[in-house]
PDB file of all heavy atoms in Angstrom:
ATOM      1  N   ILE A1166     185.974 133.716  30.908  1.00 91.00           N
ATOM      2  CA  ILE A1166     187.117 134.635  30.833  1.00 91.00           C
ATOM      3  C   ILE A1166     186.727 135.892  31.601  1.00 91.00           C
ATOM      4  O   ILE A1166     185.798 136.609  31.221  1.00 91.00           O
ATOM      5  CB  ILE A1166     187.457 134.974  29.366  1.00 91.00           C
ATOM      6  CG1 ILE A1166     187.828 133.695  28.627  1.00 91.00           C
ATOM      7  CG2 ILE A1166     188.598 135.990  29.298  1.00 91.00           C
ATOM      8  CD1 ILE A1166     187.923 133.861  27.135  1.00 91.00           C
ATOM      9  N   PRO A1170     190.205 140.108  35.865  1.00 89.00           N
ATOM     10  CA  PRO A1170     190.965 138.950  36.353  1.00 89.00           C
ATOM     11  C   PRO A1170     191.783 139.225  37.606  1.00 89.00           C
ATOM     12  O   PRO A1170     192.094 138.311  38.344  1.00 89.00           O
ATOM     13  CB  PRO A1170     191.887 138.608  35.165  1.00 89.00           C
ATOM     14  CG  PRO A1170     191.894 139.818  34.299  1.00 89.00           C
ATOM     15  CD  PRO A1170     190.609 140.534  34.525  1.00 89.00           C
ATOM     16  N   ALA A1184     187.232 140.975  61.902  1.00 89.00           N
ATOM     17  CA  ALA A1184     186.813 141.653  63.146  1.00 89.00           C
ATOM     18  C   ALA A1184     185.752 140.811  63.850  1.00 89.00           C
ATOM     19  O   ALA A1184     185.801 140.619  65.072  1.00 89.00           O
ATOM     20  CB  ALA A1184     186.287 143.056  62.837  1.00 89.00           C
ATOM     21  N   HIS A1187     187.323 137.480  65.233  1.00 94.00           N
ATOM     22  CA  HIS A1187     188.190 137.614  66.411  1.00 94.00           C
ATOM     23  C   HIS A1187     187.594 138.506  67.490  1.00 94.00           C
ATOM     24  O   HIS A1187     188.300 138.922  68.407  1.00 94.00           O
ATOM     25  CB  HIS A1187     189.564 138.133  65.983  1.00 94.00           C
ATOM     26  CG  HIS A1187     190.300 137.169  65.120  1.00 94.00           C
ATOM     27  ND1 HIS A1187     190.977 136.089  65.631  1.00 94.00           N
ATOM     28  CD2 HIS A1187     190.407 137.094  63.767  1.00 94.00           C
ATOM     29  CE1 HIS A1187     191.505 135.387  64.629  1.00 94.00           C
ATOM     30  NE2 HIS A1187     191.172 135.980  63.485  1.00 94.00           N
ATOM     31  N   HIS A1204     164.620 161.166  63.257  1.00 96.00           N
ATOM     32  CA  HIS A1204     163.657 161.989  62.509  1.00 96.00           C
ATOM     33  C   HIS A1204     163.599 161.545  61.057  1.00 96.00           C
ATOM     34  O   HIS A1204     162.543 161.477  60.442  1.00 96.00           O
ATOM     35  CB  HIS A1204     164.034 163.473  62.572  1.00 96.00           C
ATOM     36  CG  HIS A1204     163.876 164.041  63.939  1.00 96.00           C
ATOM     37  ND1 HIS A1204     164.942 164.443  64.703  1.00 96.00           N
ATOM     38  CD2 HIS A1204     162.772 164.245  64.681  1.00 96.00           C
ATOM     39  CE1 HIS A1204     164.489 164.870  65.866  1.00 96.00           C
ATOM     40  NE2 HIS A1204     163.181 164.771  65.877  1.00 96.00           N
ATOM     41  N   GLU A1207     161.745 158.409  60.754  1.00 98.00           N
ATOM     42  CA  GLU A1207     160.292 158.676  60.812  1.00 98.00           C
ATOM     43  C   GLU A1207     159.760 159.220  59.490  1.00 98.00           C
ATOM     44  O   GLU A1207     158.674 158.872  59.052  1.00 98.00           O
ATOM     45  CB  GLU A1207     159.985 159.658  61.954  1.00 98.00           C
ATOM     46  CG  GLU A1207     159.967 158.961  63.307  1.00 98.00           C
ATOM     47  CD  GLU A1207     160.219 159.916  64.472  1.00 98.00           C
ATOM     48  OE1 GLU A1207     159.973 161.135  64.327  1.00 98.00           O
ATOM     49  OE2 GLU A1207     160.690 159.424  65.522  1.00 98.00           O
ATOM     50  N   TYR A1217     154.140 156.288  49.138  1.00 98.00           N
ATOM     51  CA  TYR A1217     155.176 156.648  48.147  1.00 98.00           C
ATOM     52  C   TYR A1217     156.016 155.401  47.911  1.00 98.00           C
ATOM     53  O   TYR A1217     157.197 155.350  48.256  1.00 98.00           O
ATOM     54  CB  TYR A1217     156.046 157.785  48.674  1.00 98.00           C
ATOM     55  CG  TYR A1217     155.370 159.123  48.658  1.00 98.00           C
ATOM     56  CD1 TYR A1217     154.839 159.675  49.824  1.00 98.00           C
ATOM     57  CD2 TYR A1217     155.270 159.856  47.482  1.00 98.00           C
ATOM     58  CE1 TYR A1217     154.217 160.909  49.813  1.00 98.00           C
ATOM     59  CE2 TYR A1217     154.647 161.097  47.460  1.00 98.00           C
ATOM     60  CZ  TYR A1217     154.132 161.616  48.629  1.00 98.00           C
ATOM     61  OH  TYR A1217     153.518 162.841  48.616  1.00 98.00           O
ATOM     62  N   ASN A1231     164.516 169.385  43.124  1.00 98.00           N
ATOM     63  CA  ASN A1231     164.405 170.845  43.320  1.00 98.00           C
ATOM     64  C   ASN A1231     165.159 171.292  44.573  1.00 98.00           C
ATOM     65  O   ASN A1231     165.842 172.322  44.575  1.00 98.00           O
ATOM     66  CB  ASN A1231     162.928 171.267  43.457  1.00 98.00           C
ATOM     67  CG  ASN A1231     162.179 171.041  42.151  1.00 98.00           C
ATOM     68  OD1 ASN A1231     162.779 171.056  41.071  1.00 98.00           O
ATOM     69  ND2 ASN A1231     160.879 170.818  42.232  1.00 98.00           N
ATOM     70  N   TYR A1262     180.696 154.922  38.865  1.00 98.00           N
ATOM     71  CA  TYR A1262     180.724 153.860  37.848  1.00 98.00           C
ATOM     72  C   TYR A1262     179.941 154.283  36.599  1.00 98.00           C
ATOM     73  O   TYR A1262     180.398 154.108  35.460  1.00 98.00           O
ATOM     74  CB  TYR A1262     180.136 152.556  38.426  1.00 98.00           C
ATOM     75  CG  TYR A1262     180.006 151.469  37.394  1.00 98.00           C
ATOM     76  CD1 TYR A1262     181.117 150.753  36.975  1.00 98.00           C
ATOM     77  CD2 TYR A1262     178.770 151.198  36.791  1.00 98.00           C
ATOM     78  CE1 TYR A1262     181.003 149.777  36.002  1.00 98.00           C
ATOM     79  CE2 TYR A1262     178.659 150.227  35.812  1.00 98.00           C
ATOM     80  CZ  TYR A1262     179.772 149.515  35.424  1.00 98.00           C
ATOM     81  OH  TYR A1262     179.669 148.560  34.449  1.00 98.00           O
ATOM     82  N   THR A1266     181.303 154.772  32.860  1.00 98.00           N
ATOM     83  CA  THR A1266     180.740 153.938  31.793  1.00 98.00           C
ATOM     84  C   THR A1266     180.161 154.804  30.668  1.00 98.00           C
ATOM     85  O   THR A1266     180.236 154.439  29.487  1.00 98.00           O
ATOM     86  CB  THR A1266     179.662 153.004  32.379  1.00 98.00           C
ATOM     87  OG1 THR A1266     180.294 152.222  33.402  1.00 98.00           O
ATOM     88  CG2 THR A1266     179.073 152.062  31.348  1.00 98.00           C
ATOM     89  N   ILE A1268     181.267 157.658  29.633  1.00 98.00           N
ATOM     90  CA  ILE A1268     182.238 158.442  28.825  1.00 98.00           C
ATOM     91  C   ILE A1268     183.378 157.619  28.235  1.00 98.00           C
ATOM     92  O   ILE A1268     184.003 158.046  27.271  1.00 98.00           O
ATOM     93  CB  ILE A1268     182.847 159.597  29.654  1.00 98.00           C
ATOM     94  CG1 ILE A1268     183.642 159.064  30.859  1.00 98.00           C
ATOM     95  CG2 ILE A1268     181.765 160.571  30.099  1.00 98.00           C
ATOM     96  CD1 ILE A1268     184.508 160.114  31.538  1.00 98.00           C
ATOM     97  N   VAL A1277     194.406 158.721  37.765  1.00 98.00           N
ATOM     98  CA  VAL A1277     193.918 158.386  39.104  1.00 98.00           C
ATOM     99  C   VAL A1277     195.034 158.674  40.111  1.00 98.00           C
ATOM    100  O   VAL A1277     196.180 158.300  39.884  1.00 98.00           O
ATOM    101  CB  VAL A1277     193.594 156.867  39.183  1.00 98.00           C
ATOM    102  CG1 VAL A1277     193.075 156.505  40.554  1.00 98.00           C
ATOM    103  CG2 VAL A1277     192.595 156.462  38.117  1.00 98.00           C
ATOM    104  N   ILE A1286     189.489 151.730  40.021  1.00 96.00           N
ATOM    105  CA  ILE A1286     190.306 150.979  39.041  1.00 96.00           C
ATOM    106  C   ILE A1286     189.470 149.916  38.299  1.00 96.00           C
ATOM    107  O   ILE A1286     189.438 149.907  37.064  1.00 96.00           O
ATOM    108  CB  ILE A1286     191.553 150.337  39.702  1.00 96.00           C
ATOM    109  CG1 ILE A1286     192.295 151.361  40.559  1.00 96.00           C
ATOM    110  CG2 ILE A1286     192.475 149.701  38.684  1.00 96.00           C
ATOM    111  CD1 ILE A1286     192.686 152.625  39.873  1.00 96.00           C
ATOM    112  N   LYS A1295     192.250 152.531  30.502  1.00 98.00           N
ATOM    113  CA  LYS A1295     193.490 152.255  31.229  1.00 98.00           C
ATOM    114  C   LYS A1295     193.709 153.292  32.328  1.00 98.00           C
ATOM    115  O   LYS A1295     193.717 154.502  32.035  1.00 98.00           O
ATOM    116  CB  LYS A1295     194.640 152.327  30.204  1.00 98.00           C
ATOM    117  CG  LYS A1295     195.973 151.965  30.753  1.00 98.00           C
ATOM    118  CD  LYS A1295     197.041 152.085  29.665  1.00 98.00           C
ATOM    119  CE  LYS A1295     198.352 152.436  30.318  1.00 98.00           C
ATOM    120  NZ  LYS A1295     199.267 153.181  29.541  1.00 98.00           N
ATOM    121  N   PRO A1304     204.597 162.645  52.926  1.00 89.00           N
ATOM    122  CA  PRO A1304     203.526 162.130  53.758  1.00 89.00           C
ATOM    123  C   PRO A1304     202.285 163.031  53.855  1.00 89.00           C
ATOM    124  O   PRO A1304     201.348 162.690  54.574  1.00 89.00           O
ATOM    125  CB  PRO A1304     204.182 162.032  55.135  1.00 89.00           C
ATOM    126  CG  PRO A1304     205.119 163.188  55.162  1.00 89.00           C
ATOM    127  CD  PRO A1304     205.577 163.402  53.738  1.00 89.00           C
ATOM    128  N   LYS A1339     191.527 175.501  47.265  1.00 98.00           N
ATOM    129  CA  LYS A1339     191.156 176.362  46.148  1.00 98.00           C
ATOM    130  C   LYS A1339     192.285 176.369  45.099  1.00 98.00           C
ATOM    131  O   LYS A1339     192.027 176.290  43.897  1.00 98.00           O
ATOM    132  CB  LYS A1339     190.932 177.771  46.702  1.00 98.00           C
ATOM    133  CG  LYS A1339     190.477 178.745  45.698  1.00 98.00           C
ATOM    134  CD  LYS A1339     190.109 180.058  46.355  1.00 98.00           C
ATOM    135  CE  LYS A1339     189.595 180.961  45.233  1.00 98.00           C
ATOM    136  NZ  LYS A1339     189.248 182.277  45.670  1.00 98.00           N
ATOM    137  N   HIS A1364     180.405 167.157  53.386  1.00 97.00           N
ATOM    138  CA  HIS A1364     180.001 167.863  54.606  1.00 97.00           C
ATOM    139  C   HIS A1364     180.854 167.506  55.814  1.00 97.00           C
ATOM    140  O   HIS A1364     180.452 167.758  56.946  1.00 97.00           O
ATOM    141  CB  HIS A1364     178.529 167.573  54.916  1.00 97.00           C
ATOM    142  CG  HIS A1364     177.620 168.142  53.879  1.00 97.00           C
ATOM    143  ND1 HIS A1364     177.620 169.478  53.554  1.00 97.00           N
ATOM    144  CD2 HIS A1364     176.708 167.572  53.059  1.00 97.00           C
ATOM    145  CE1 HIS A1364     176.739 169.696  52.591  1.00 97.00           C
ATOM    146  NE2 HIS A1364     176.180 168.552  52.261  1.00 97.00           N
ATOM    147  N   THR A1366     184.439 168.364  56.864  1.00 98.00           N
ATOM    148  CA  THR A1366     185.764 168.998  56.819  1.00 98.00           C
ATOM    149  C   THR A1366     186.041 169.596  58.192  1.00 98.00           C
ATOM    150  O   THR A1366     185.107 169.956  58.904  1.00 98.00           O
ATOM    151  CB  THR A1366     185.823 170.113  55.767  1.00 98.00           C
ATOM    152  OG1 THR A1366     184.770 171.039  56.017  1.00 98.00           O
ATOM    153  CG2 THR A1366     185.703 169.567  54.356  1.00 98.00           C
ATOM    154  N   GLU A1370     188.048 174.415  57.627  1.00 96.00           N
ATOM    155  CA  GLU A1370     188.334 174.291  56.180  1.00 96.00           C
ATOM    156  C   GLU A1370     187.025 174.172  55.414  1.00 96.00           C
ATOM    157  O   GLU A1370     186.116 173.478  55.851  1.00 96.00           O
ATOM    158  CB  GLU A1370     189.169 173.029  55.906  1.00 96.00           C
ATOM    159  CG  GLU A1370     190.542 173.023  56.523  1.00 96.00           C
ATOM    160  CD  GLU A1370     191.556 173.818  55.724  1.00 96.00           C
ATOM    161  OE1 GLU A1370     191.174 174.399  54.696  1.00 96.00           O
ATOM    162  OE2 GLU A1370     192.722 173.856  56.152  1.00 96.00           O
ATOM    163  N   PRO A1379     183.075 177.409  37.634  1.00 96.00           N
ATOM    164  CA  PRO A1379     182.240 177.223  36.449  1.00 96.00           C
ATOM    165  C   PRO A1379     182.951 176.515  35.289  1.00 96.00           C
ATOM    166  O   PRO A1379     182.356 175.637  34.667  1.00 96.00           O
ATOM    167  CB  PRO A1379     181.849 178.658  36.074  1.00 96.00           C
ATOM    168  CG  PRO A1379     181.927 179.412  37.360  1.00 96.00           C
ATOM    169  CD  PRO A1379     183.021 178.765  38.152  1.00 96.00           C
ATOM    170  N   CYS A1388     179.976 163.628  42.296  1.00 98.00           N
ATOM    171  CA  CYS A1388     179.243 162.462  42.815  1.00 98.00           C
ATOM    172  C   CYS A1388     179.121 162.549  44.338  1.00 98.00           C
ATOM    173  O   CYS A1388     180.120 162.803  45.034  1.00 98.00           O
ATOM    174  CB  CYS A1388     179.986 161.178  42.428  1.00 98.00           C
ATOM    175  SG  CYS A1388     180.170 161.035  40.638  1.00 98.00           S
ATOM    176  N   ALA A1405     174.344 162.245  41.243  1.00 98.00           N
ATOM    177  CA  ALA A1405     175.394 162.832  40.395  1.00 98.00           C
ATOM    178  C   ALA A1405     174.869 164.151  39.855  1.00 98.00           C
ATOM    179  O   ALA A1405     173.672 164.299  39.597  1.00 98.00           O
ATOM    180  CB  ALA A1405     175.716 161.883  39.249  1.00 98.00           C
ATOM    181  N   SER A1464     199.503 159.406  73.170  1.00 96.00           N
ATOM    182  CA  SER A1464     200.722 158.873  73.799  1.00 96.00           C
ATOM    183  C   SER A1464     201.042 157.442  73.326  1.00 96.00           C
ATOM    184  O   SER A1464     201.928 156.792  73.871  1.00 96.00           O
ATOM    185  CB  SER A1464     200.569 158.903  75.316  1.00 96.00           C
ATOM    186  OG  SER A1464     199.461 158.108  75.656  1.00 96.00           O
ATOM    187  N   PHE A1467     201.992 154.948  67.890  1.00 98.00           N
ATOM    188  CA  PHE A1467     201.665 155.341  66.513  1.00 98.00           C
ATOM    189  C   PHE A1467     201.946 156.828  66.318  1.00 98.00           C
ATOM    190  O   PHE A1467     201.679 157.635  67.222  1.00 98.00           O
ATOM    191  CB  PHE A1467     200.176 155.100  66.220  1.00 98.00           C
ATOM    192  CG  PHE A1467     199.818 153.650  66.104  1.00 98.00           C
ATOM    193  CD1 PHE A1467     199.310 152.959  67.195  1.00 98.00           C
ATOM    194  CD2 PHE A1467     199.984 152.986  64.904  1.00 98.00           C
ATOM    195  CE1 PHE A1467     198.969 151.620  67.085  1.00 98.00           C
ATOM    196  CE2 PHE A1467     199.639 151.645  64.782  1.00 98.00           C
ATOM    197  CZ  PHE A1467     199.134 150.961  65.874  1.00 98.00           C
ATOM    198  N   GLY A1474     189.511 166.074  56.824  1.00 97.00           N
ATOM    199  CA  GLY A1474     188.118 165.774  56.475  1.00 97.00           C
ATOM    200  C   GLY A1474     187.923 164.273  56.371  1.00 97.00           C
ATOM    201  O   GLY A1474     188.886 163.508  56.502  1.00 97.00           O
ATOM    202  N   TYR A1482     203.166 153.278  61.766  1.00 98.00           N
ATOM    203  CA  TYR A1482     203.491 152.323  62.839  1.00 98.00           C
ATOM    204  C   TYR A1482     204.948 151.874  62.792  1.00 98.00           C
ATOM    205  O   TYR A1482     205.322 150.883  63.422  1.00 98.00           O
ATOM    206  CB  TYR A1482     202.560 151.092  62.771  1.00 98.00           C
ATOM    207  CG  TYR A1482     202.744 150.249  61.521  1.00 98.00           C
ATOM    208  CD1 TYR A1482     203.716 149.252  61.448  1.00 98.00           C
ATOM    209  CD2 TYR A1482     201.961 150.469  60.400  1.00 98.00           C
ATOM    210  CE1 TYR A1482     203.903 148.499  60.303  1.00 98.00           C
ATOM    211  CE2 TYR A1482     202.135 149.718  59.248  1.00 98.00           C
ATOM    212  CZ  TYR A1482     203.107 148.739  59.201  1.00 98.00           C
ATOM    213  OH  TYR A1482     203.290 147.995  58.055  1.00 98.00           O
ATOM    214  N   ASP A1489     205.193 144.144  56.939  1.00 97.00           N
ATOM    215  CA  ASP A1489     204.427 144.841  55.911  1.00 97.00           C
ATOM    216  C   ASP A1489     203.052 145.178  56.495  1.00 97.00           C
ATOM    217  O   ASP A1489     202.607 144.557  57.471  1.00 97.00           O
ATOM    218  CB  ASP A1489     204.313 143.985  54.635  1.00 97.00           C
ATOM    219  CG  ASP A1489     203.509 142.740  54.871  1.00 97.00           C
ATOM    220  OD1 ASP A1489     202.274 142.847  54.862  1.00 97.00           O
ATOM    221  OD2 ASP A1489     204.113 141.670  55.110  1.00 97.00           O
ATOM    222  N   LEU A1508     197.301 150.754  54.371  1.00 96.00           N
ATOM    223  CA  LEU A1508     197.178 151.723  53.263  1.00 96.00           C
ATOM    224  C   LEU A1508     197.628 151.175  51.913  1.00 96.00           C
ATOM    225  O   LEU A1508     197.203 151.650  50.864  1.00 96.00           O
ATOM    226  CB  LEU A1508     197.941 153.021  53.583  1.00 96.00           C
ATOM    227  CG  LEU A1508     197.086 154.258  53.320  1.00 96.00           C
ATOM    228  CD1 LEU A1508     195.927 154.307  54.281  1.00 96.00           C
ATOM    229  CD2 LEU A1508     197.903 155.515  53.360  1.00 96.00           C
ATOM    230  N   TYR A1512     196.860 151.263  46.770  1.00 95.00           N
ATOM    231  CA  TYR A1512     197.836 151.525  45.709  1.00 95.00           C
ATOM    232  C   TYR A1512     197.863 150.339  44.760  1.00 95.00           C
ATOM    233  O   TYR A1512     197.923 149.191  45.216  1.00 95.00           O
ATOM    234  CB  TYR A1512     199.246 151.673  46.284  1.00 95.00           C
ATOM    235  CG  TYR A1512     199.525 152.932  47.059  1.00 95.00           C
ATOM    236  CD1 TYR A1512     199.247 152.999  48.426  1.00 95.00           C
ATOM    237  CD2 TYR A1512     200.104 154.047  46.449  1.00 95.00           C
ATOM    238  CE1 TYR A1512     199.529 154.139  49.159  1.00 95.00           C
ATOM    239  CE2 TYR A1512     200.394 155.196  47.179  1.00 95.00           C
ATOM    240  CZ  TYR A1512     200.109 155.234  48.526  1.00 95.00           C
ATOM    241  OH  TYR A1512     200.396 156.358  49.255  1.00 95.00           O
TER     242      TYR A1512
END
Side-chain angles (χ1 to χ4, degrees):
I1166 299 169
H1187 295 280
H1204 292 112
E1207 280 157 23
Y1217 286 101
N1231 293 334
Y1262 174 77
T1266 302
I1268 62 168
V1277 181
I1286 311 305
K1295 185 181 151 209
K1339 183 173 183 182
H1364 294 304
T1366 54
E1370 296 280 2
C1388 302
S1464 60
F1467 288 96
Y1482 65 86
D1489 66 81
L1508 228 66
Y1512 288 87

